[in-house]
Amino acid sequence: MAPDTPPDQEPFPISYVAGRYLLFDPPTVAYARRRHNVIGVLIGTIPNLSQQNVFLGIPLELQPEEARVLVEQGHAYIVDDAAVHRDGFLEMSREDRLAYLRDMDEKGAEISREVVRRAKEKSEQALREKGLRPSKKINETTSTNADSSLFDADEQTGPVVKAPEKRLEPTYITPTTSYPPLSRPQPSHALGFPEVPKSFPLFRYLHGKGYFMMPGLRFGCHYSVYPGDPLRFHSHFLATGLGWDEEFDLLDIVGGGRLGTGVKKAYLIGGEEKGGKKKAEDILTLSMPSWNPALRPNKEDEKKPRVDVEPVRAFSIEWAGL
Amino acid sequence: MQHDHQTQPPPTMARTETDIAPPPSAPIQSLIAQDTSTKTHDPTLHSLALQIQHNLQYQHNWTSLHIHTHSPLTGSLLPRPLLSGLPPNRLYIHPDEQIELLKDADRARKAQKEGETGALEVKAEPEREWILPARLSEKWTLRRLAEVFDGISEVPPEKEDVDSEGKKGKVSRWRETKRVVLATVDTDSTVVYYIVQDGVVKPRQN
């Protein structure tokens, strides 16, 4: 898969499942990472081997902050996956349903035939290695067996030759995608903005500056801030978002500053500056057009800022080395 | 040994109340007591500034330390008395400046004659710094921190009465953001120093 392939269209849907924001489509995951500095965390694992969590796969879980910036900037929309599936499958026409089931059966039969063919190849190979040529008769029997339906299998086993009693067991397929069979959910059914923690203004500010954010638990902060893709760069900041009038202890500043300097990073605190001067970058975010009709009741509102963005002020802290 | 011990009475017994002279006051105590400057702020903030000044001067060899009570930009009262001073060595080198300085040092070493194997000498002149005194027990907010930064110039003026205009020629081109040295003092008089910069400034790669 080419990583540059954009998803079919923007905005792309983000699945909201049980309080999580998920992406299931690998091209979309790559696209969000490359174009929109949104990394998320891969959380997919094998259901029966959930301890095998060294290499996780899709789905990609987005932090609410990440989902929010994508929605605010019009790159994505949130879809309630449970509702989409319930409505989609209940409203599916009988013909579509049967066609889909037939399609699944056909694919299952295909897999069964392939399994039988491989098993036969393997046994032939084994016989050849022992210097025995498999008789043509067995060959023919099994091949017709594979092609015909399983009910005929018993009658075809001849009394002279001991043919392998292999039935064509149908394979049942568990569908792994919802789109298809369902059509892609439309932005008109999107949910509103994701709910975000109070550190979000700092996240949006840093995201707007082109930084990549990862969860900051490892360093006891809200976000580890990277100047580029985390696969290529070390992080620059340990960021903690605060309210403009939220009190903090100087001990937190000393602790964060000392830890950050110890790992060649700076501790960053910041928040929305109440009544501060709006800069060009804030206005840029404000003028973003609204893609979502639900958030755009009339044309007048389209001109107004959709999100009330206050300017953010941040302070970088490092140990002075005195 | 046991004999000596018996002949000397325990020290507590020997002392009477009249013998106890008041101990000489600590240097920092007398410094604060002798301070005659006009109190523009809460006296505890003045004594805090003096304490930090004393620490910088005698423990870290800083020079030309001044206490600033008014903003050099607007002339209005600062949220609290701030200090400015000159460290013995450069306190902060921006990572980009460091790259430049290392290149210069490398060129200087290569320019030397073959026989002389000099070490890489990075020359960074010390710069004047702002110092923000604070107590560990204080609560701070982003607003209060921003008020401090709004009141100061990028580089501290030499003296409080000298306006910063005359000194602008000396400002290093790397000093693009305001910075203060946050001096936090605990009740046991331990002082820790942290550099706080106004804005998102990438960290040093020491």
Side-chain angles (χ1 to χ4, degrees):
Chain A
M1 170 208 341
D4 262 332
T5 323
D8 324 343
Q9 60 192 54
E10 234 189 61
F12 54 83
I14 296 171
S15 302
Y16 181 67
V17 185
R20 293 162 185 264
Y21 299 94
L22 304 171
L23 289 178
F24 288 89
D25 181 34
T28 309
V29 169
Y31 179 79
R33 187 175 184 121
R34 289 179 75 96
R35 292 286 173 80
H36 302 308
N37 298 7
V38 164
I39 307 159
V41 182
L42 288 167
I43 59 164
T45 182
I46 305 164
N48 291 332
L49 295 168
S50 54
Q51 75 276 21
Q52 292 267 318
N53 55 8
V54 181
F55 300 105
L56 297 175
I58 52 165
L60 182 87
E61 182 175 357
L62 299 175
Q63 297 178 64
E65 294 94 317
E66 292 175 318
R68 172 101 177 212
V69 288
L70 288 175
V71 174
E72 278 185 1
Q73 295 174 6
H75 302 309
Y77 53 95
I78 310 293
V79 164
D80 184 348
D81 239 21
V84 165
H85 280 74
R86 196 169 49 237
D87 297 348
F89 283 112
L90 285 178
E91 285 167 12
M92 207 178 203
S93 72
R94 186 180 157 75
E95 291 82 60
D96 285 349
R97 193 193 309 266
L98 289 176
Y100 182 61
L101 288 173
R102 251 198 315 278
D103 191 40
M104 283 290 123
D105 283 347
E106 185 48 51
K107 279 185 179 146
E110 188 98 0
I111 289 168
S112 297
R113 278 197 290 276
E114 183 65 17
V115 166
V116 169
R117 193 184 62 78
R118 284 214 187 130
K120 201 178 73 190
E121 240 171 41
K122 224 173 160 185
S123 70
E124 274 174 17
Q125 171 111 29
L127 285 169
R128 258 200 303 279
E129 276 168 13
K130 286 186 176 179
L132 302 163
R133 275 208 84 78
S135 74
K136 268 198 168 173
K137 212 160 190 184
I138 295 172
N139 230 346
E140 276 166 11
T141 323
T142 44
S143 64
T144 47
N145 196 357
D147 289 335
S148 62
S149 86
L150 64 126
F151 300 109
D152 303 330
D154 284 352
E155 296 155 46
Q156 286 206 354
T157 45
V160 190
V161 190
K162 207 180 174 189
E165 291 198 345
K166 270 193 182 154
R167 293 171 174 210
L168 186 62
E169 293 275 351
T171 307
Y172 299 105
I173 292 178
T174 307
T176 50
T177 60
S178 303
Y179 325 107
L182 297 179
S183 58
R184 204 172 131 112
Q186 290 308 302
S188 50
H189 297 294
L191 300 175
F193 289 130
E195 221 164 89
V196 283
K198 63 178 168 53
S199 57
F200 176 67
L202 182 64
F203 181 98
R204 181 167 54 200
Y205 173 70
L206 292 168
H207 183 268
K209 280 180 169 287
Y211 286 99
F212 285 66
M213 260 68 65
M214 292 251 280
L217 176 64
R218 276 173 225 191
F219 295 107
C221 57
H222 288 136
Y223 313 107
S224 310
V225 184
Y226 292 76
D229 192 302
L231 290 174
R232 300 175 63 208
F233 291 89
H234 285 295
S235 73
H236 271 183
F237 302 105
L238 315 175
T240 297
L242 296 162
W244 193 240
D245 286 309
E246 185 183 347
E247 290 195 324
F248 55 85
D249 276 321
L250 282 181
L251 202 58
D252 296 338
I253 303 301
V254 171
R258 194 64 196 257
L259 170 67
T261 308
V263 289
K264 299 187 180 183
K265 305 180 201 319
Y267 187 57
L268 188 84
I269 54 169
E272 275 184 336
E273 184 174 4
K274 294 272 151 28
K277 270 182 273 173
K278 284 193 165 65
K279 291 176 207 135
E281 62 215 51
D282 302 313
I283 293 154
L284 198 73
T285 320
L286 292 173
S287 61
M288 211 63 93
S290 178
W291 48 266
N292 188 346
L295 302 167
R296 191 178 49 191
N298 53 54
K299 282 191 175 173
E300 284 296 299
D301 273 26
E302 204 175 340
K303 289 169 193 162
K304 287 179 188 169
R306 289 184 305 117
V307 193
D308 192 17
V309 177
E310 292 275 345
V312 169
R313 194 155 173 186
F315 301 100
S316 319
I317 297 146
E318 286 179 84
W319 184 48
L322 277 179
Chain B
M1 289 295 285
Q2 210 171 15
H3 178 76
D4 288 345
H5 183 74
Q6 276 174 343
T7 50
Q8 280 184 355
T12 47
M13 296 282 282
R15 283 190 185 171
T16 61
E17 274 184 37
T18 50
D19 287 338
I20 300 171
S25 59
I28 183 72
Q29 269 181 305
S30 45
L31 181 71
I32 290 165
Q34 284 159 20
D35 179 41
T36 53
S37 61
T38 47
K39 300 288 183 287
T40 48
H41 296 79
D42 188 331
T44 60
L45 292 174
H46 274 278
S47 58
L48 174 67
L50 281 170
Q51 187 182 350
I52 301 298
Q53 185 183 28
H54 189 270
N55 184 270
L56 284 171
Q57 191 173 350
Y58 295 107
Q59 208 170 326
H60 299 291
N61 299 322
W62 284 47
T63 49
S64 60
L65 285 153
H66 301 294
I67 294 182
H68 301 256
T69 52
H70 291 78
S71 165
L73 297 177
T74 59
S76 55
L77 208 62
L78 286 167
R80 63 171 61 197
L82 298 181
L83 291 159
S84 74
L86 188 70
N89 303 306
R90 176 76 82 80
L91 191 66
Y92 177 86
I93 301 174
H94 188 275
D96 291 342
E97 184 184 6
Q98 190 185 30
I99 290 169
E100 189 121 315
L101 287 171
L102 282 168
K103 279 181 186 163
D104 289 347
D106 194 44
R107 269 196 292 274
R109 189 171 60 171
K110 277 178 183 160
Q112 281 180 337
K113 283 170 191 170
E114 285 288 311
E116 297 167 49
T117 48
L120 205 64
E121 275 179 62
V122 175
K123 285 170 199 145
E125 290 297 310
E127 287 179 350
R128 290 182 61 77
E129 303 288 346
W130 281 107
I131 300 106
L132 166 62
R135 288 196 174 87
L136 188 61
S137 54
E138 286 174 37
K139 296 273 187 194
W140 277 77
T141 64
L142 292 176
R143 183 192 294 278
R144 278 176 225 157
L145 206 51
E147 280 166 4
V148 170
F149 276 101
D150 290 343
I152 63 168
S153 50
E154 277 180 12
V155 183
E158 287 287 338
K159 275 182 181 163
E160 202 190 343
D161 43 40
V162 175
D163 64 336
S164 54
E165 300 280 74
K167 296 285 158 195
K168 271 195 176 160
K170 282 186 182 175
V171 175
S172 157
R173 66 192 171 96
W174 300 103
R175 274 191 101 147
E176 287 170 343
T177 50
K178 292 178 184 178
R179 65 169 184 254
V180 299
V181 180
L182 173 68
T184 309
V185 61
D186 198 1
T187 46
D188 69 350
S189 79
T190 308
V191 191
V192 290
Y193 295 95
Y194 282 82
I195 291 167
V196 182
Q197 307 207 58
D198 189 8
V200 181
V201 181
K202 64 179 169 182
R204 293 172 292 178
Q205 303 291 310
N206 294 310

